[in-house]
Amino acid sequence: MAELAIETHGLVKTYGETRAVDGVDLAIARGGVHGFLGPNGAGKTTVIRMLSTLVRADAGTGTVLGYDIASQADEVRSRVSLTGQFASVDEDLSGRENLRLIARLYGYSSKAATRRVDELLEAFSLSDAGDRQVKKYSGGMRRRIDIAASIVVTPELLFLDEPTTGLDPRSRNEVWDIVRAMVDFGTTVMLTTQYLDEADALADRISVIDAGKIIAEGSATELKASVGSGTLHVRVMDRDERDRAQSILMRDLGVNVETTSDPQALTAAIDDRGRVTRALSALDAEGVGLAQFSLGQPTLDEVFLALTGSPAEDSASEQDEAA
C-alpha cells in the first residue's frame, strides 16, 4: 500500500493562453484532511480535476493511492470520490431516491441498497426529509445529501471542492462535523477552500496555491509562525487618534503597523514580544487611550496577506477562470 495518498511532480494544465496550473508538486500522506487553500482563479479546482482524472494534465506526473492518473485512471476512479462546488444529485428526485439510484448503479442488491440508504440518511440527519424532493431542501441539506451520495461506497480518498460555498454558519458547521466523522472512519480528505477559518478548523496540513503555483505548505501553526511570532491588535478610544497611535507604535515596536477597515483599529506582526509592553506604555504616556488590545498568534488571514499580497476577501471575489 502506498504511503502517500497523492503525489505529483510538475503538474501543468493550460487553457488557451492561460496557465491554470503551473508546475504543482504535492506529497500528501494518507489519513486526515489536507487543505488546499487559495483564492478563486488560483487553480485549486483544476488540480482536483486532474487528480480525479476528469481532465488530463498537459505536463508532469501524478499518482493517487499509488496509481498513475494518466495510465491507470480506472484504478484511481474506483477508489476516490469527488464532491464539487455544486450539487450533483437530481433535484426532482427525493433524497432517498437519489441515494438508492447510486447504490444500485454501484451494484448493491435491492435489499442492501435500502439498508445503505437508511444508514446514510440517518448519519446525515436527513431521515425525516428522505422522501422529500431535493429541490425543496435547504442549502445545508443539499450539501449533506450531495456528500452522502459521494460515499455510498466509502472511498479511500474524497475530494471536497469548496463544499461550504454559500452556506450559512450553521450549515457549514454541519458539513465540518461530517468531514471529521469521515476521517475517523479512515477516509483521506483533500479539501479545497477559499475560507481561511475552514482550513484552520479542519486541515492537518495546508498547501497554499496562487496563480497556479504552490507558494507555501505546512500545518496551520507552521504557516502562522512563518509571518511572525505574534500579532498585536489595538483599538484606540478616539478614531482621530489612530494616526498618532500608529506613529508611536511604529517607533517603539520597530515594525510596520497596518490600519484596518475598522477606523479605530491597528495591527502589527511582532517578532520581539518584549517591545510590546514598552510600546503600550508609550501610548499611555502620550495620552492615547485604548479601547482594547490583544497579542496573539497570527491568523491565516494574515498569513494569506503576507503570502499573496492581498486579503483573502479581495482575492475571493475574483472569477475562477482556471476552473
Side-chain angles (χ1 to χ4, degrees):
M1 181 178 289
E3 254 185 57
L4 295 177
I6 296 170
E7 184 174 13
T8 70
H9 298 281
L11 215 56
V12 173
K13 185 65 183 177
T14 60
Y15 293 101
E17 297 183 1
T18 301
R19 204 170 178 88
V21 176
D22 190 10
V24 165
D25 298 327
L26 291 169
I28 300 175
R30 288 176 180 257
V33 178
H34 189 92
F36 205 39
L37 178 65
N40 281 337
K44 303 186 302 296
T45 296
T46 304
V47 170
I48 292 297
R49 288 177 175 174
M50 286 189 285
L51 293 176
S52 58
T53 73
L54 293 179
V55 298
R56 294 181 67 88
D58 294 324
T61 61
T63 59
V64 172
L65 301 169
Y67 296 96
D68 187 88
I69 59 175
S71 63
Q72 297 174 296
D74 288 343
E75 295 289 349
V76 172
R77 291 172 190 163
S78 69
R79 290 165 172 80
V80 307
S81 188
L82 166 65
T83 297
Q85 297 175 25
F86 305 101
S88 58
V89 294
D90 189 328
E91 295 194 344
D92 288 325
L93 297 180
S94 69
R96 184 181 302 279
E97 288 169 335
N98 269 288
L99 297 180
R100 183 176 177 80
L101 173 62
I102 293 169
R104 294 290 280 159
L105 289 172
Y106 270 118
Y108 279 75
S109 68
S110 179
K111 185 175 181 180
T114 298
R115 184 167 57 249
R116 181 57 175 158
V117 169
D118 288 340
E119 289 173 354
L120 289 168
L121 290 174
E122 182 177 359
F124 285 79
S125 301
L126 291 169
S127 295
D128 292 342
D131 296 318
R132 194 186 313 161
Q133 285 180 301
V134 170
K135 65 184 177 183
K136 297 179 181 178
Y137 283 10
S138 67
M141 293 167 68
R142 290 188 188 205
R143 295 310 289 157
R144 279 183 275 154
I145 197 67
D146 204 37
I147 296 173
S150 300
I151 60 169
V152 168
V153 174
T154 304
E156 295 180 54
L157 172 64
L158 174 64
F159 295 105
L160 281 178
D161 189 13
E162 302 194 14
T164 61
T165 298
L167 296 188
D168 59 80
R170 179 179 178 181
S171 296
R172 289 180 68 203
N173 285 330
E174 290 175 348
V175 173
W176 292 2
D177 289 340
I178 291 166
V179 173
R180 295 185 182 105
M182 292 175 62
V183 170
D184 288 342
F185 279 100
T187 297
T188 302
V189 176
M190 185 172 182
L191 170 74
T192 75
T193 182
Q194 61 185 357
Y195 298 129
L196 305 173
D197 60 332
E198 186 160 81
D200 208 356
L202 293 176
D204 304 294
R205 289 186 66 78
I206 298 169
S207 297
V208 182
I209 184 171
D210 191 32
K213 297 177 183 288
I214 302 296
I215 58 174
E217 281 189 318
S219 66
T221 299
E222 290 168 342
L223 291 176
K224 291 173 185 178
S226 71
V227 300
S229 62
T231 302
L232 175 66
H233 299 277
V234 301
R235 196 165 187 272
V236 297
M237 291 287 292
D238 184 348
R239 66 177 62 189
D240 293 335
E241 294 283 357
R242 186 171 74 164
D243 290 345
R244 194 157 69 95
Q246 184 180 28
S247 298
I248 295 169
L249 290 173
M250 289 179 66
R251 180 195 70 201
D252 285 75
L253 292 173
V255 298
N256 194 36
V257 177
E258 303 284 350
T259 58
T260 74
S261 57
D262 181 342
Q264 294 171 253
L266 297 164
T267 184
I270 305 297
D271 289 318
D272 181 2
R273 294 190 175 215
R275 291 191 171 197
V276 173
T277 301
R278 295 193 295 273
L280 294 177
S281 297
L283 289 174
D284 183 60
E286 298 196 33
V288 177
L290 295 183
Q292 62 188 55
F293 67 88
S294 64
L295 179 63
Q297 192 179 44
T299 65
L300 276 182
D301 295 80
E302 290 158 343
V303 172
F304 200 91
L305 175 61
L307 292 173
T308 68
S310 62
E313 58 268 23
D314 290 346
S315 299
S317 67
E318 300 169 6
Q319 293 298 313
D320 195 350
E321 297 176 0

